[in-house]
Amino acid sequence: MGDFSYIAISRQSGLMKEMSLVANNMANSDTVGYKRQGAIFAEHIAAIGSTNQSGSPEHSLSMGHLAAHSPDFGAGSMRPTGGSLDIAIEGEGFFMVNVDGQTQLTRAGNFMTDAEGRLINVDGNAVLDSAEGEIQIPIDAGEIFIAEDGSISANGVELGRIGVATADPQTLSRQGNNNYVAREGFAPSEFTLVRQGYLEDSNVDPMTEISRMIEVQRYYDAGQKIFDMEDDRIKQVISTIRQIS
Amino acid sequence: MNALKIAATGMAAQQTRVDVISNNIANMSTTAYQPRVAEFADLIYQQHLTPGTVTSQTGTIAPAGVQIGMGVRPSTVSIEVVQGPLSATGGDLDLAIEGKGFFQIDLPSGETAYTRDGKFYQDAEGLIVNSDGYALSDNITIPSDARSISISLDGEVTAFFDNAAEGQQIGTITMTVFSNPKGLEALGGNLFRETSASGNPIVSEPGTEGVGTMRQGFLEDSGVDVVEEISELIEAQRGYELNSKIISAVDEMYAATTRIR
């Protein structure tokens, strides 16, 4: 197989991966607090053949491959639910949840209380306050009111305060279950506002995803055409050689 | 073959949502029905290039990496704990709860079930039972010679007899609250059962904080908001279509792949 094929294959498999990203965005178009992903292609240079005296390759091959995803942390629209423990973050920041002893970040604010009255998310992980401690809401607390600064109160008694952390979105690693791990740490934020009775919808825009989908499909088709053309070229070379000999 | 499977999880999720919506709409006239909501979470990510991977000898790292999600799953179908509108029926044994509480019902199996459906009857012995004939756990028997029954906001049941102006207290209907009513298990027949997620039932006197009060002569209507459900339905249908578009697009890509010479 010639160099050409490697270039085309890396491009085509990158496009397949991008299609998976589009499919994942689309599948999560109704996931609470989901943030869409884009894809970035980069040039990948590989050395081929012999090297010269200084050790650098005499020939190199440039390939385009899928190098990174570009997370889009734009806000999703706010959906009023009326749930007293449904909370949405306005602006940047994340809720903190304790997953097996590790603090993970999430924008999904569909919380509830468990049998012991702890504030938890839908997977049963404790929601943390700004000091990364658990939040306790007594069962007989009555009507729960969550202020914009995250403080939870019932009948004028403050029960705790939901912590909001900020982290560089570029350093977040996706874990599934709406959670992220902040590789380079996060810092508690004092200025982020939360809204009780709202959930943040997914920020996937179907229009953008469909047009990306069509784009990827067309590029892929174009890539296949190049394979065909290369095939024709090789065929012609072979038949020419045969005629000469 | 990822994209195909991912889109399939998307279609399955929307299907679940439609199932939940149709059950809500079917129960739009069920007494004290609490609507259910399907919520989703993304599935695990395949780490093709973990963010933070070192990319050079000088210690530069890949800022974002390549993480490809595997689709979506329904994370919960939770009970939306809402107060349905009350409608006046005038029935002596029609009770509506204004607040977070539940009535307790003795199941034939001996277990206790919980309900907000306050449509009660009396059986041949005068015992207060629900529409399936299961007794209210408070075990209140209405004397056959009682002229009328009055139930106060805090659940006290008083019977009035022919000649007496003063009534006679024959029992108290208690209520139960749960720390997490979203964690209750639905049994059908408007009944719920406690689970380890809902927490232990806390029996309380009606009228105390957080439990709510009892309204005689009213029933709680279904909490389903039909307009909201219909718009959700349209959204779910569009979501389904979008995911099916991915399937046909990927299909065409694979068709092109198999044509490679």
Side-chain angles (χ1 to χ4, degrees):
Chain A
M1 206 154 51
D3 298 342
F4 156 79
S5 307
Y6 292 117
I7 299 169
I9 286 170
S10 74
R11 169 74 172 158
Q12 295 298 79
S13 79
L15 285 168
M16 269 303 184
K17 281 186 196 140
E18 183 167 6
M19 196 60 150
S20 296
L21 287 181
V22 175
N24 193 50
N25 285 342
M26 213 84 109
N28 285 290
S29 60
D30 288 307
T31 301
V32 184
Y34 177 80
K35 299 294 170 197
R36 62 179 289 274
Q37 281 181 303
I40 298 169
F41 279 84
E43 192 182 30
H44 179 79
I45 307 207
I48 48 171
S50 54
T51 53
N52 61 19
Q53 285 176 336
S54 64
S56 29
E58 284 183 332
H59 300 284
S60 64
L61 178 66
S62 162
M63 297 190 275
H65 76 139
L66 186 70
H69 64 80
S70 60
D72 173 359
F73 277 89
S77 56
M78 298 274 183
R79 170 160 47 95
T81 63
S84 60
L85 293 178
D86 285 342
I87 312 156
I89 294 178
E90 213 175 294
E92 62 167 11
F94 299 87
F95 297 113
M96 294 177 279
V97 290
N98 179 1
V99 182
D100 298 329
Q102 183 191 36
T103 301
Q104 296 191 355
L105 305 182
T106 182
R107 291 280 291 191
N110 43 347
F111 300 141
M112 51 182 88
T113 47
D114 69 1
E116 281 87 50
R118 285 188 316 158
L119 191 65
I120 54 168
N121 73 359
V122 292
D123 293 316
N125 302 316
V127 179
L128 305 176
D129 61 18
S130 40
E132 293 181 52
E134 294 181 356
I135 299 168
Q136 201 76 31
I137 298 179
I139 156 73
D140 53 356
E143 201 63 38
I144 287 160
F145 178 75
I146 300 171
E148 287 181 0
D149 66 351
S151 55
I152 308 170
S153 55
N155 298 319
V157 181
E158 185 157 342
L159 302 168
R161 184 170 168 194
I162 294 172
V164 175
T166 51
D168 178 3
Q170 295 292 339
T171 67
L172 295 177
S173 175
R174 290 171 188 250
Q175 303 300 305
N177 301 331
N178 295 335
N179 294 342
Y180 299 90
V181 165
R183 272 189 343 270
E184 280 157 36
F186 50 86
S189 163
E190 289 294 318
F191 307 106
T192 307
L193 299 183
V194 302
R195 292 265 182 262
Q196 184 183 24
Y198 288 86
L199 286 178
E200 184 182 0
D201 275 337
S202 167
N203 73 346
V204 172
D205 170 22
M207 215 88 82
T208 316
E209 300 304 329
I210 282 284
S211 50
R212 265 180 81 196
M213 181 196 90
I214 295 170
E215 213 176 68
V216 170
Q217 205 186 344
R218 293 287 167 258
Y219 287 155
Y220 194 85
D221 271 353
Q224 299 308 114
K225 282 224 174 64
I226 296 176
F227 271 116
D228 290 348
M229 284 158 66
E230 177 69 1
D231 177 59
D232 283 345
R233 192 184 65 79
I234 294 169
K235 246 191 241 163
Q236 276 174 19
V237 170
I238 293 169
S239 69
T240 309
I241 293 170
R242 195 187 292 141
Q243 278 164 21
I244 295 169
S245 58
Chain B
M1 291 299 208
N2 276 345
L4 274 183
K5 286 180 196 146
I6 294 167
T9 67
M11 289 173 84
Q14 298 294 354
Q15 182 67 59
T16 308
R17 197 167 163 209
V18 171
D19 290 348
V20 171
I21 294 166
S22 33
N23 189 49
N24 284 343
I25 291 178
N27 284 292
M28 59 181 272
S29 304
T30 303
T31 310
Y33 176 79
Q34 315 262 298
R36 312 295 201 268
V37 205
E39 277 156 17
F40 305 108
D42 48 359
L43 289 173
I44 54 157
Y45 283 77
Q46 238 180 26
Q47 314 281 343
H48 287 270
L49 172 64
T50 313
T53 306
V54 176
T55 55
S56 77
Q57 287 180 341
T58 54
T60 49
I61 56 162
V66 181
Q67 301 179 297
I68 297 179
M70 298 285 96
V72 66
R73 68 176 167 95
S75 58
T76 55
V77 177
S78 66
I79 300 165
E80 226 181 322
V81 188
V82 293
Q83 172 79 55
L86 304 188
S87 53
T89 60
D92 266 0
L93 288 178
D94 287 349
L95 295 174
I97 294 173
E98 252 188 323
K100 292 199 290 191
F102 289 83
F103 298 110
Q104 305 130 78
I105 303 287
D106 284 337
L107 294 180
S109 62
E111 269 182 298
T112 306
Y114 303 89
T115 184
R116 283 180 65 89
D117 175 2
K119 180 89 186 144
F120 293 114
Y121 303 86
Q122 42 179 307
D123 69 3
E125 279 83 50
L127 190 68
I128 298 180
V129 296
N130 79 352
S131 48
D132 287 324
Y134 305 155
L136 195 65
S137 301
D138 302 294
N139 245 323
I140 298 169
T141 307
I142 299 168
S144 54
D145 54 346
R147 172 166 50 94
S148 66
I149 292 290
S150 156
I151 299 165
S152 71
L153 292 181
D154 47 9
E156 268 183 25
V157 187
T158 314
F160 291 88
F161 298 95
D162 269 343
N163 300 320
E166 285 282 299
Q168 191 186 329
Q169 197 192 327
I170 54 171
T172 303
I173 299 175
T174 53
M175 283 201 276
T176 299
V177 283
F178 292 91
S179 63
N180 178 27
K182 284 185 175 185
L184 289 170
E185 179 193 350
L187 297 174
N190 287 347
L191 300 175
F192 294 99
R193 181 159 52 196
E194 63 166 298
T195 66
S196 53
S198 69
N200 293 326
I202 300 170
V203 180
S204 316
E205 294 269 307
T208 50
E209 195 50 58
V211 181
T213 52
M214 226 170 260
R215 299 275 174 183
Q216 188 185 19
F218 289 86
L219 284 178
E220 184 183 349
D221 288 343
S222 169
V224 174
D225 177 345
V226 180
V227 179
E228 201 181 299
E229 297 296 334
I230 294 288
S231 57
E232 278 264 313
L233 183 65
I234 295 170
E235 258 181 50
Q237 198 182 349
R238 293 287 170 253
Y240 193 85
E241 277 177 28
L242 287 171
N243 283 293
S244 75
K245 282 225 158 57
I246 292 275
I247 296 216
S248 40
V250 177
D251 177 41
E252 278 173 42
M253 283 167 73
Y254 285 136
T257 311
T258 52
R259 282 198 303 270
I260 294 182
R261 282 173 292 170

